[in-house]
Amino acid sequence: MSSPPSALDDGQELSTQGKSFNLTDIIMTNHVKIFDTTLRDGEQAPGFSMTSGQKLKMAKALEGLGVDIMEAGFAAASPGDFEAIKTIATEVKDSIVCSLARCNEGDIRASGEAIKPAAKSGRGGRIHTFIATSPLHREFKLKMSMDEIVRRATAGIELARQYTDDVEFSCEDAIRTERDYLKRVVEAAIKAGATTINIPDTVGYTTPEEIQSLFEFLASDIEGADSVTFSAHCHDDLGLAVANSLAAVRGGARQVECALNGIGERAGNCALEEVAMALRTRKDFFGLSTQLKTEGLYGASKLLATITGNPVPRNKAIVGKNAFAHESGIHQHGVLANRETYEIMKPEDVGVSTDNLVLGKHSGRAALKNRAETLGFELGDNQLQSLFVKFKHLADEKKEVFDADIEALILGEAVGEIGPWALESLYVSAGSDDGKRPVATVRLHHEDGRKETWSQEAAGPVNATFLAISHITGQPLHLDSFSVQSVTEGEDAMAEASVMVSTEFSSYHGRGTSTDTVLAGARAYLDVINRIERRADRQKSIAAQH
């Protein structure tokens, strides 16, 4: 790929081989759209489900990052997904809101209705419709002929165009589709009115060289290629999602479909933060850019991890805890001399603060708000007031409150939707005396005014606490996993507990924080129960409306 053009003033022209190009056109050509599917492909993966309120919080964070398009869900999948997309389409102002739909009338009409608030706002919404094209899918899943698939694709796009001019079409399993047939389907889609053509590596099978060649073929051999945006959607089954997405961009793709923290079906999707920082850090090589505000990546990543209960691995690129940490003596010496010896990005570029200011019980609201803003969080007055009360309680328990403590409090506020149950008190006894078993006494308060207390014996204090909460709430759950990690260091460190539980039909995760590990676990377990009861209430409400 050729080197990027030199910097020019807006409107200035440059001449290449006798042709003049306006700078605005060059910028548009060199702009890679970020299509975020955290709320659809990411959220539908096992263990990553979100409530409607949590999806809206993530949508606002993605909007703050500056993603061009956010795929908010699959409108036809459930009434809950439909309502979540509709709410996001109403609330989000700066990103295009998209709904996924199969190439059938029911799906497309549901998506069209869900994105209507975005269309009414003037910024428009997108319908992303798809049908499989590979021989395997044609024969075993769809049981359709090549001609029938083309007809379905064309009809689906034409119906979607009745709701919006912004229609994206995907050839599911495109990588394993014959090139001549892929060409036929894509050309039919363009003629039907699709404005974006997505070429997904649905099963994470391709390689960088292969996908780059495919996109070069599409850009040069497809009739109407100059009227659409080509998009890449790569899965990480072979650990190549980011590499394949970047290769597709080199081949002519100008939209990348990705998800925060790389979440998604099976091994996940192309990681938004990785592809964005690769394009930014190696702009000398790619000559391309995005409109992302990368300083918000770390905060958005932490929010997603907190909402889903799935922590980011320490060694995760860009947003992992070790991404900018140096323990080796040789590395530390080099970084002290010049950070560029071992760091190709500045921590601040992705929102990682290097100034770990310590706050204490004498710190005021202004200092707390300033620190939160430095960490990438904007707090409203009500949120700041609620956070300040919790901060003061924590400051009384700890000598010093560090950035990680403040993050934990803020993220707890973000995740903690109001639930019917609240923990009033917890007392546990534990030890190794013969004949004595740990006991937990739990007191809960319900929003209807009830107060319930129960004492429970068990093999351990955490187990006793969970059983007591289950008894009071009437929610017998199967505990799949329980983990606790320290948020900060020291004897008075904040503990972050995560639980995964399951019922006969669903699995849920919860999160809680405290300087007491058992209390953190109790809050996480109660968070799960509140999620279950909130979901049941929403389903009753939706059923009543229909």
Side-chain angles (χ1 to χ4, degrees):
M1 177 170 285
S2 59
S3 299
S6 302
L8 299 172
D9 296 329
D10 285 347
Q12 185 176 344
E13 293 185 342
L14 58 84
S15 179
T16 304
Q17 297 178 349
K19 296 181 180 179
S20 295
F21 299 90
N22 188 280
L23 177 63
T24 304
D25 296 330
I26 294 172
I27 291 173
M28 290 306 294
T29 302
N30 289 355
H31 171 68
V32 177
K33 296 178 184 177
I34 296 298
F35 178 107
D36 181 88
T37 188
T38 302
L39 301 175
R40 201 277 300 169
D41 198 323
E43 194 265 349
Q44 74 184 29
F48 288 89
S49 62
M50 306 178 209
T51 66
S52 295
Q54 290 165 346
K55 288 185 78 168
L56 179 59
K57 288 185 178 75
M58 274 312 311
K60 298 297 285 185
L62 293 168
E63 180 185 28
L65 272 179
V67 302
D68 298 90
I69 307 102
M70 67 175 74
E71 193 168 46
F74 193 161
S78 71
D81 231 24
F82 177 91
E83 292 298 329
I85 297 167
K86 191 173 181 179
T87 300
I88 291 168
T90 302
E91 296 291 332
V92 169
K93 307 300 180 186
D94 298 327
S95 301
I96 294 170
V97 176
C98 173
S99 174
L100 185 68
R102 292 165 297 188
C103 279
N104 67 51
E105 183 176 353
D107 278 22
I108 292 169
R109 292 199 184 281
S111 289
E113 293 299 322
I115 66 167
K116 267 189 177 179
K120 288 179 180 178
S121 72
R123 72 185 181 284
R126 175 179 293 190
I127 294 176
H128 177 192
T129 189
F130 71 95
I131 193 167
T133 55
S134 70
L136 275 169
H137 283 249
R138 295 195 307 259
E139 180 180 355
F140 294 103
K141 187 179 80 170
L142 298 178
K143 302 186 186 303
M144 289 183 190
S145 68
M146 289 180 169
D147 290 344
E148 176 61 17
I149 287 171
V150 172
R151 284 195 294 269
R152 289 286 187 98
T154 300
I157 293 164
E158 289 173 348
L159 178 59
R161 291 277 300 190
Q162 295 180 18
Y163 291 92
T164 176
D165 292 334
D166 190 348
V167 176
E168 176 171 338
F169 174 73
S170 286
C171 301
E172 186 183 6
D173 205 20
I175 296 298
R176 297 190 296 178
T177 300
E178 309 94 319
R179 280 199 180 187
D180 56 347
Y181 183 58
L182 185 63
K183 180 177 186 291
R184 178 186 169 193
V185 176
V186 169
E187 287 181 344
I190 293 172
K191 288 177 182 177
T195 51
T196 300
I197 300 294
N198 183 43
I199 305 298
D201 182 17
T202 304
V203 292
Y205 180 73
T206 195
T207 66
E209 294 79 9
E210 186 177 49
I211 198 170
Q212 180 175 343
S213 171
L214 177 58
F215 273 87
E216 288 171 348
F217 161 75
L218 293 169
S220 61
D221 284 32
I222 295 292
E223 184 179 346
D226 57 349
S227 66
V228 298
T229 299
F230 284 108
S231 175
H233 180 121
C234 298
H235 279 267
D236 207 35
D237 297 72
L238 294 176
L240 294 171
V242 174
N244 286 335
S245 297
L246 292 170
V249 165
R250 294 195 74 203
R254 286 299 177 266
Q255 176 177 288
V256 173
E257 307 202 356
C258 46
L260 272 171
N261 297 346
I263 70 172
E265 288 282 12
R266 302 182 314 281
N269 286 287
C270 170
L272 181 152
E273 62 279 1
E274 294 179 27
V275 75
M277 290 309 295
L279 290 172
R280 173 173 171 161
T281 305
R282 294 306 313 274
K283 191 170 183 180
D284 62 317
F285 179 77
F286 291 103
L288 301 166
S289 61
T290 71
Q291 68 171 16
L292 281 186
K293 301 166 188 172
T294 61
E295 295 79 10
L297 285 171
Y298 180 72
S301 167
K302 289 281 287 185
L303 176 61
L304 177 63
T306 302
I307 284 176
T308 63
N310 289 278
V312 177
R314 294 181 69 100
N315 65 328
K316 171 75 174 64
I318 314 299
V319 292
K321 191 172 182 179
N322 287 358
F324 296 96
H326 305 278
E327 187 167 332
S328 163
I330 296 173
H331 284 213
Q332 289 175 344
H333 175 74
V335 169
L336 290 172
N338 185 326
R339 297 201 71 89
E340 292 184 9
T341 54
Y342 287 101
E343 287 185 2
I344 60 173
M345 299 167 283
K346 295 178 181 178
E348 305 92 281
D349 290 344
V350 299
V352 175
S353 174
T354 56
D355 177 20
N356 193 22
L357 181 68
V358 179
L359 299 180
K361 64 181 181 180
H362 299 297
S363 300
R365 283 182 182 80
L368 179 61
K369 183 177 182 180
N370 178 263
R371 196 64 200 150
E373 289 174 351
T374 301
L375 294 171
F377 299 98
E378 293 185 13
L379 304 177
D381 292 340
N382 291 337
Q383 191 178 10
L384 176 62
Q385 176 58 30
S386 175
L387 181 68
F388 186 66
V389 172
K390 293 182 179 180
F391 165 75
K392 282 294 187 181
H393 285 306
L394 181 62
D396 284 336
E397 296 176 11
K398 299 190 62 175
K399 297 176 183 177
E400 300 171 325
V401 180
F402 294 92
D403 285 352
D405 297 311
I406 296 170
E407 281 181 359
L409 291 177
I410 294 172
L411 292 169
E413 282 284 304
V415 173
E417 297 176 87
I418 297 173
W421 292 100
L423 183 64
E424 263 200 12
S425 68
L426 168 66
Y427 179 79
V428 297
S429 64
S432 59
D433 292 346
D434 291 340
K436 293 184 178 179
R437 284 161 56 90
V439 178
T441 301
V442 176
R443 184 171 178 80
L444 301 182
H445 177 262
H446 195 272
E447 61 186 4
D448 64 9
R450 284 180 291 146
K451 292 186 178 182
E452 304 273 355
T453 303
W454 185 259
S455 294
Q456 180 72 47
E457 285 189 4
V462 173
N463 192 28
T465 300
F466 291 173
L467 289 173
I469 292 173
S470 281
H471 178 88
I472 293 173
T473 60
Q475 294 283 358
L477 303 172
H478 180 269
L479 181 65
D480 297 319
S481 67
F482 170 64
S483 63
V484 180
Q485 63 177 358
S486 174
V487 175
T488 51
E489 299 178 357
E491 294 179 357
D492 56 359
M494 281 272 281
E496 181 178 87
S498 296
V499 298
M500 183 74 73
V501 305
S502 58
T503 63
E504 184 180 356
F505 303 106
S506 303
S507 61
Y508 300 86
H509 54 261
R511 174 191 170 277
T513 58
S514 173
T515 52
D516 182 309
T517 55
V518 179
L519 182 55
R523 288 173 174 167
Y525 196 75
L526 195 59
D527 181 36
V528 165
I529 288 173
N530 280 331
R531 287 171 191 255
I532 292 171
E533 297 203 5
R534 282 194 300 265
R535 174 175 285 188
D537 290 342
R538 277 195 305 275
Q539 289 173 341
K540 289 178 183 177
S541 175
I542 291 170
Q545 292 173 9
H546 290 77

